[in-house]
Every structure is written in C-alpha cells, then in structure tokens.
Amino acid sequence: MSQKATIRIALLLGQDLGYSRRVLSGVLNYAESKQLSCSYHNGAPDVRIIPALEQWQPHGVIVHLSERILAERLQALSLPMVSVTHTLKNLPISHVDVDSVAVGQVAADYFLSQGLRSFAYYGSRHAVFSCNRERGFRERLEVLGYPVANLHADFLPQPPFSQDWTRMDRQTERWLQRLPKPVGILASNDIPARALCELCRNVGLRVPDEVAILGVDNDVSECRMSDPSLSSVELPAEQIGRDAMQLLLSQLGGGHAGGGVQRLLPPMGVIVRSSTDHRGTAEPLLQRALDYIERYADRGISVVDVCRHAGRSRRSMERRFQDYFQSTIYQRIQQVQLARAKRLLLESELSISVVADRAGFSSLRQLDRVFRKYETVSPSAYRKLL
C-alpha cells in the first residue's frame, strides 16, 4: 500500500486505562513522524463493535485484546492486526507488549533493595502477562531462597457488571492477614494494586509498614487515587504504540494479514511513591544509613558520608549492605538518585542538566552513564518513551 494513500485504521484501545491512552499517543506519534495519511476510528475492545468494523472496512486493526470471543471475531475478518497486550494464550495474532518476565524481575530486585524478605504476588492465573510477571518475580526470589505466596484473581479491563466483588474482597482480606509481615506484594497491574491498598486499610494493615504494594503500568490516575499513593513499574507504553503501528504497516505493505510476530520491550523501572516507602530490615544501623541516603542522595553524598553518619567503618557497612540488600552502598545511592531523576523526567519539563543536578549527580555525564547502566537508554531517550 502506498504511504500517500489514506490508511483506515481501527484503534480498539478504549480510553479507560492510562496504558491504552499512552499506546494511542505512540501510534499517532509514529504516524505523524512518517507523515502518513491516516483515518482512524477509536473504539472499545468490545465484540459489539464488529458490525461497525464490517461496515467501515478498515485496512488494519490495533487492539488491546483481552477477550477470546473478540479475538475470534476479529480473526474472521481476515484483517492485518496487532495486539498491544499479551493476554490470551495460543493466539496467532501479532502482539507488541512489555517483557512481563522482566517486569517481575525488576519488582523483585526493587523489593530486595528495600530490605524486604517476605513476598507475595496478586494477579490473574489466566492472563499471559500476569503469569509471566509472577514467573519472573518468583524465579528471581526463589533462587535466593525466598518463597513467594500468591493469590489469583482476574482483573480485566472491562470486568462483568455481575462480578461478585464482595466475595473476592473477603478472600483477599483473609490472605493479607495470613501473610508474614512485613511483606512486599507485586500486583499484576495498578488496578488490583489499588484494591489491595484499600483492603489493607479495611482490615487495619499499615501500608507500607506492614504491607508494601507495587503495581504495574504507572497509570498516574490509578496511582493518585490510591491511598497511599501507589508505586508502580513503568512500562514503555508509547514505544509499544509506535512499534505496533510500525508492525501493522509492515503487514499492510506485504499485502496480507500476517500474524504470530512477538515484540517484547523492557520495562522502564519502578516509579516510587508512598505504597512502598518501607524499610524491611530490623537492624537500626542499616535503617539509619538508608534514611540518610534517602534524605541526602540529591546532595551528591558519598559512601564515606554514609559510613560516617552510621558511625561504622566502610568495610563493616559494605558487608552489611551486601548481606541485606545484595548491593553496595554506592549502588544504593545511585538507585535513589536514579529514581529521583526518573520522577523529574516523568513529571516535569526540566532540562536534563537540571534534572542531573537536582537528583544529586555530579554531572550530566554521570547521569547519562548511570541511566545507561540501569535502564539501557539515555535520559533523553527515556523521556521520549514516556
């Protein structure tokens, strides 16, 4: 198909999820960057839209595909199609999504860096992305000797109106109360994570002191509605949208629907908010060091400063950090500085040099080096992915 021709694209993404809105932005940004002539219809990923699709006859479809019946009806249309979620098993439809195993690994590493030693997972046993997040989380922790409890519950983008919330809430409350405390819980995404925060409040469990809760998606509205505000693993949603558009256009260029192509992108790290602002270690010396790092990392403190504040030798403190956090003091300082830099890149339009200074890095060059080490991209590339 000529790029000069008007391309009719059905965007079945919906607007309920922050993830879908950011994917949509990526789709549109890609089309604009390539100066494509496109005509769009944006609707909900609902089987009831099929008659409208049949009438409009789009050239291709980008869809947030989480229902089997919708998948079957779309496949029957024999259109080029790309899904922006890997939810359904054994589906011969191309998809672009985050690497959900890596999401679980990032979450595990984050909780370990907080000193937690008890862990649990809360999410679907059916959705592929949820299963993979649990697998990555579990594998990273169990190899270190930490078991992972779980409770499975399905949180769909469009849950049935008849869904019995009360029964699931009671089961979840009992599960929360039985978990050894303090515990770090990874939820499959932000919606169940926010639900966990509310249920903890209902049964008198303190978040994050007893239960630290981490979501996935960094849906800012969900995270802000949560009490306390929700920490979340950031996904490259806009890049997923760009890649989905590029993949769909490649299918259109080949003149056939194609299918079965899988692209998985790395997660962008943890955006830290109040729901995980917890230190699980009972050792006051390490608590004092961690509090000092959290408070002064943006002032460019050194390892020597931390050891001096704790009143111990560098050798003694490094050994304690390795035993409890599997990291060095310097790595911990960098991680706190990096988290602050990511928040500034996400929530402000400050120049990257100003971000480097305010996050505690000695120079723009150091910020760039640390970003590439932990995030594999430059600060400017990270900001463009948001």
Side-chain angles (χ1 to χ4, degrees), residues 2 22 25 30 39 42 71 80 88-89 99 134 139 175 178 232 245-247 251 256 261 271 289 304 339 377:
S2 169
R22 290 169 55 211
S25 178
Y30 183 87
S39 176
N42 185 26
L88 302 173
K89 298 178 181 178
D99 182 343
E134 180 176 2
E139 289 177 352
W175 178 71
R178 289 196 301 266
S232 186
M245 186 63 163
Q246 187 275 330
L247 182 56
Q251 294 180 11
H256 56 82
V261 176
I271 303 300
V304 172
V377 296

Side-chain angles (χ1 to χ4, degrees), residues 65-309:
L65 196 53
S66 59
E67 293 185 351
R68 181 72 59 178
I69 188 171
L70 176 60
E72 293 171 351
R73 293 291 300 276
L74 287 172
Q75 285 179 285
L77 298 178
S78 299
L79 291 171
M81 179 167 38
V82 178
S83 176
V84 294
T85 179
H86 189 195
T87 299
L88 302 173
K89 298 178 181 178
N90 304 319
L91 196 64
I93 293 175
S94 296
H95 67 265
V96 183
D97 200 353
V98 70
D99 182 343
S100 286
V101 172
V103 168
Q105 294 168 345
V106 165
D109 290 342
Y110 171 71
F111 278 142
L112 287 169
S113 75
Q114 298 295 94
L116 288 160
R117 294 297 179 264
S118 177
F119 307 97
Y121 182 83
Y122 187 61
S124 172
R125 74 166 80 239
H126 304 294
V128 174
F129 70 82
S130 178
C131 295
N132 286 340
R133 288 169 191 178
E134 180 176 2
R135 177 161 63 90
F137 190 61
R138 182 178 300 281
E139 289 177 352
R140 180 59 62 92
L141 292 167
E142 289 185 345
V143 75
L144 298 173
Y146 303 115
V148 177
N150 64 19
L151 180 64
H152 291 126
D154 283 301
F155 286 83
L156 300 174
Q158 290 84 31
F161 289 114
S162 60
Q163 180 170 300
D164 184 355
W165 292 344
T166 305
R167 180 175 175 274
M168 189 66 224
D169 287 353
R170 289 196 300 268
Q171 181 182 0
T172 305
E173 287 172 353
R174 290 193 296 269
W175 178 71
L176 287 167
Q177 290 172 317
R178 289 196 301 266
L179 293 172
K181 312 297 188 302
V183 60
I185 304 178
L186 172 64
S188 58
N189 55 50
D190 292 334
I191 295 173
R194 184 163 74 89
L196 285 178
C197 288
E198 183 173 341
L199 293 174
C200 283
R201 188 167 62 249
N202 290 349
V203 297
L205 291 173
R206 299 187 309 277
V207 178
D209 295 330
E210 294 178 281
V211 183
I213 298 171
L214 180 62
V216 181
D217 285 348
N218 193 39
D219 185 325
V220 175
S221 295
E222 288 290 336
C223 294
R224 291 176 63 191
M225 284 192 291
S226 176
D227 183 16
S229 60
L230 187 64
S231 296
S232 186
V233 179
E234 177 79 26
L235 304 188
E238 286 212 15
Q239 186 61 47
I240 287 171
R242 286 192 286 267
D243 282 14
M245 186 63 163
Q246 187 275 330
L247 182 56
L248 182 68
L249 291 172
S250 70
Q251 294 180 11
L252 291 172
H256 56 82
V261 176
Q262 173 180 276
R263 291 187 186 175
L264 300 179
L265 306 181
M268 300 172 70
V270 175
I271 303 300
V272 180
R273 299 185 180 88
S274 300
S275 70
T276 61
D277 186 15
H278 170 83
R279 302 295 174 265
T281 176
E283 187 174 343
L285 182 65
L286 283 177
Q287 181 69 60
R288 190 157 62 247
L290 291 172
D291 290 343
Y292 181 80
I293 292 171
E294 290 287 341
R295 185 173 182 181
Y296 295 110
D298 59 356
R299 301 187 186 182
I301 59 174
S302 68
V303 174
V304 172
D305 293 328
V306 176
C307 297
R308 183 182 298 119
H309 178 78

